[in-house]
Amino acid sequence: MRLAKRLGLLAAAAILANSPNAHANPTPINILTGGTSGVYYPLGMSLSELYSENIPDSTTSVRATKASVENLNLLQIARGQLAFALGDSVADAWKGDEEAGFRAPRDRLRAIAGIYPNYIQIVASQASGITSLEDLRGKRISVGAPRSGTELNARAIFKAAGLSYSDMGHIEFKPYAESVELIEKGQLDATLQSAGLGMTAIRDLAERVPITFVTIPQQVVSRIGSSAYQSGTIPAGTYKGQTRDVTTATITNVLVSQTSVSDAVAYQMTKLLFENLDRLAEAHPAAKGIRLEQATNGLPIPLHPGAERFYREVGVLK
């Protein structure tokens, strides 16, 4: 009797092992972010945890990258399923702007959501004497990793202000953490960073070194000639020692996926994002700027059909 029972269990196990789903590979959700001291990375980590807990048969991971341009190029070759990117970089990728880092149109990209705005934050040590864009002439400045979204923003801002890299004393192409470290050591005068408010690297720098925020006037933002750039304000008190509002440029961030991601997975990624905004805000306060009613406004690429299904369900799209 026991032998028969054992044989029965072995047979059942064999049937299960040979069933179509037994060896099915879990669905990968690789989230492409940015530098670990920026905003994309902690939000990506939070999304990864959410998806791991709530999307069945999935395996999630987070990859630190050089951000927008690298992320969009990786999505095009299906080396990621979700990525953070600046709206102007997304538009350049869709067009295939070679100067911006895209050798051909990135036609596999699909939008999940417009999320919080990035703020162009130009920070200088007080010791440098920099108080305006014009004061950057002859100074040592970092503009982000080469051909990153931040670096493309720097080119656009400087051109609109009548400046170029050749006007600077020295240009470094460094990400957030390295840039502020060089300022702290007195080896760099200023850095331009494109990120959400309250970014860790600038917050840490403000705790250690007296700094000045450089205004980007509204007329300079207008001269960029792109609807991706809007005038905005870094509110007083966002960083230690920042006692006044700072006028600057803002750019909407976009969560981007690609065509090989199934409609079902894209739907779940979108739904879980908007059902857990409080949790994302715990990961970084920039997430407080995410608004469901604005998620589909002005997107430079088509929505993923899975995301579109969610927006129709909740009435954002008719």
Side-chain angles (χ1 to χ4, degrees), residues 97-299:
D97 187 330
E98 189 167 357
E99 188 175 338
F102 307 103
R103 295 181 180 176
R106 299 325 192 201
D107 56 358
R108 298 186 66 186
L109 303 179
R110 296 293 183 269
I112 294 295
I115 47 175
Y116 65 91
N118 257 25
Y119 290 73
I120 307 299
Q121 301 173 66
I122 305 179
V123 184
S125 66
Q126 285 188 9
S128 72
I130 296 170
T131 60
S132 69
L133 287 170
E134 189 63 26
D135 291 339
L136 295 174
R137 292 182 185 273
K139 301 296 186 179
R140 303 164 297 173
I141 182 168
S142 173
V143 293
R147 291 194 180 277
S148 63
T150 291
E151 202 251 323
L152 296 178
N153 295 161
R155 290 176 184 269
I157 295 294
F158 292 162
K159 182 179 180 180
L163 299 167
S164 69
Y165 288 170
S166 62
D167 294 314
M168 312 303 169
H170 179 70
I171 290 287
E172 289 277 2
F173 297 91
K174 301 288 187 184
Y176 304 141
E178 293 176 49
S179 298
V180 299
E181 183 179 351
L182 290 173
I183 291 177
E184 188 176 354
K185 290 179 177 178
Q187 297 173 10
L188 199 65
D189 298 309
T191 182
L192 180 150
Q193 300 295 345
S194 178
L197 293 180
M199 67 172 295
T200 302
I202 295 178
R203 195 169 61 229
D204 290 348
L205 179 66
E207 292 286 339
R208 299 170 185 151
V209 176
I211 59 174
T212 300
F213 284 83
V214 177
T215 293
I216 302 175
Q218 188 170 354
Q219 59 266 33
V220 170
V221 179
S222 298
R223 283 200 293 268
I224 295 171
S226 169
S227 60
Y229 290 82
Q230 299 292 323
S231 191
T233 301
I234 304 172
T238 300
Y239 299 98
K240 182 178 179 180
Q242 182 208 343
T243 58
R244 63 180 179 86
D245 290 349
V246 178
T247 301
T248 190
T250 67
I251 307 163
T252 297
N253 286 284
V254 184
L255 273 177
V256 186
S257 188
Q258 39 91 355
T259 53
S260 70
V261 174
S262 73
D263 292 0
V265 169
Y267 171 84
Q268 286 294 325
M269 289 195 301
T270 312
K271 180 180 172 69
L272 288 165
L273 163 70
F274 286 104
E275 287 181 345
N276 293 275
L277 290 179
D278 288 348
R279 180 165 167 177
L280 289 179
E282 290 174 3
H284 198 283
K288 294 177 182 177
I290 302 175
R291 300 284 184 270
L292 173 60
E293 63 274 13
Q294 299 173 1
T296 63
N297 293 347
L299 293 173

